[in-house]
Amino acid sequence: SQQGEEDPQALSIQEGENATMNCSYKTSINNLQWYRQNSGRGLVHLILIRSNEREKHSGRLRVTLDTSKKSSSLLITASRAADTASYFCAPRSETSGSRLTFGEGTQLTVNP
Amino acid sequence: EPEVTQTPSHQVTQMGQEVILRCVPISNHLYFYWYRQILGQKVEFLVSFYNNEISEKSEIFDDQFSVERPDGSNFTLKIRSTKLEDSAMYFCASSWGGETQYFGPGTRLLVL
């Protein structure tokens, strides 16, 4: 299975600012998903981007995918204190099977 | 909006005891999963279940673990003889088509 590596490990910003976090992976993918986890809670699916897509939007979220660089980025615009959470990417390939494999994530703190 | 539910939210047990963690997946979903997260560590895949059988399991999912879908709505994880190292948050997830997974809020298991 393939694991994404999120960068940075931690990010602290002020409310209203934008937050950008990155994900790198190693082998070709079919799609890549982003999830959020509030402290000690279950993961919440945010967005899925397919390998033939370059950019996708969902509300205040913008995800890009660069398959030539094997990387993805998640941009949260106009951040709120409620966006404070850990963010994970989950790249999926033909050989991923059914599992999602999570890395260490990016811990985002949005200060009011 | 439909969601995955898990019971109990917290469980304390003695080492060597059997525990059953319960999940009610989203009703029209076909794929079911268990993950766990030891405190301070990554979310780890345990097992996936489709068409009334295990479709994939990790190396963590040894003979002490079993899963069952006893009726049309519940999905359970049984740990036969708990060990101290089984203390973790256990997350159930479900998926309609095997891509996006929807996670429950988790059961915090403490083995004493």
Side-chain angles (χ1 to χ4, degrees):
Chain A
S1 62
Q2 170 152 221
Q3 175 181 309
E5 288 190 19
E6 297 87 358
D7 175 69
Q9 282 189 333
L11 182 60
S12 181
I13 59 173
Q14 295 300 121
E15 214 165 20
E17 294 180 339
N18 295 342
T20 299
M21 49 207 93
N22 303 296
C23 168
S24 59
Y25 56 90
K26 290 189 166 43
T27 63
S28 296
I29 60 169
N30 291 337
N31 65 67
L32 185 143
Q33 301 178 48
W34 284 90
Y35 285 80
R36 181 188 79 223
Q37 183 182 32
N38 292 82
S39 179
R41 307 294 299 275
L43 288 92
V44 175
H45 176 259
L46 296 176
I47 200 163
L48 180 153
I49 187 165
R50 300 195 184 280
S51 59
N52 61 352
E53 297 174 307
R54 290 296 165 257
E55 188 170 312
K56 204 161 179 180
H57 296 251
S58 176
R60 293 184 296 111
L61 306 181
R62 174 180 163 244
V63 168
T64 62
L65 180 64
D66 187 334
T67 52
S68 67
K69 294 182 179 174
K70 294 187 172 58
S71 67
S72 173
S73 67
L74 171 67
L75 167 68
I76 304 173
T77 60
S79 62
R80 305 166 182 166
D83 295 327
T84 295
S86 293
Y87 291 81
F88 302 90
C89 65
R92 304 290 301 279
S93 63
E94 289 287 345
T95 58
S96 290
S98 48
R99 67 177 73 188
L100 292 173
T101 303
F102 296 101
E104 305 288 344
T106 291
Q107 172 59 53
L108 173 67
T109 302
V110 182
N111 301 299
Chain B
E1 188 173 320
E3 53 185 28
V4 176
T5 59
Q6 291 185 242
T7 54
S9 58
H10 294 79
Q11 172 109 35
V12 181
T13 191
Q14 296 291 324
M15 193 168 56
Q17 294 295 304
E18 173 183 288
V19 295
I20 297 176
L21 309 183
R22 292 184 165 79
C23 169
V24 179
I26 294 172
S27 64
N28 64 344
H29 283 189
L30 303 175
Y31 297 79
F32 313 107
Y33 313 84
W34 284 101
Y35 291 80
R36 79 171 186 193
Q37 186 175 33
I38 295 170
L39 190 62
Q41 298 188 21
K42 297 186 283 190
V43 175
E44 302 173 290
F45 170 80
L46 292 177
V47 67
S48 60
F49 193 85
Y50 170 72
N51 202 25
N52 279 320
E53 59 183 24
I54 290 173
S55 51
E56 188 178 353
K57 60 183 181 179
S58 72
E59 54 283 353
I60 302 168
F61 194 88
D62 61 22
D63 292 343
Q64 293 297 315
F65 292 90
S66 62
V67 289
E68 197 177 33
R69 188 154 161 82
D71 52 42
S73 59
N74 291 286
F75 180 51
T76 62
L77 174 69
K78 183 193 289 187
I79 310 175
R80 263 180 264 286
S81 177
T82 49
K83 307 180 190 122
L84 295 176
E85 54 265 36
D86 293 328
S87 293
M89 192 77 145
Y90 288 81
F91 296 108
C92 172
S94 70
S95 171
W96 181 81
E99 283 190 331
T100 300
Q101 296 182 21
Y102 295 85
F103 284 75
T107 293
R108 185 170 297 283
L109 176 66
L110 178 61
V111 182
L112 301 176

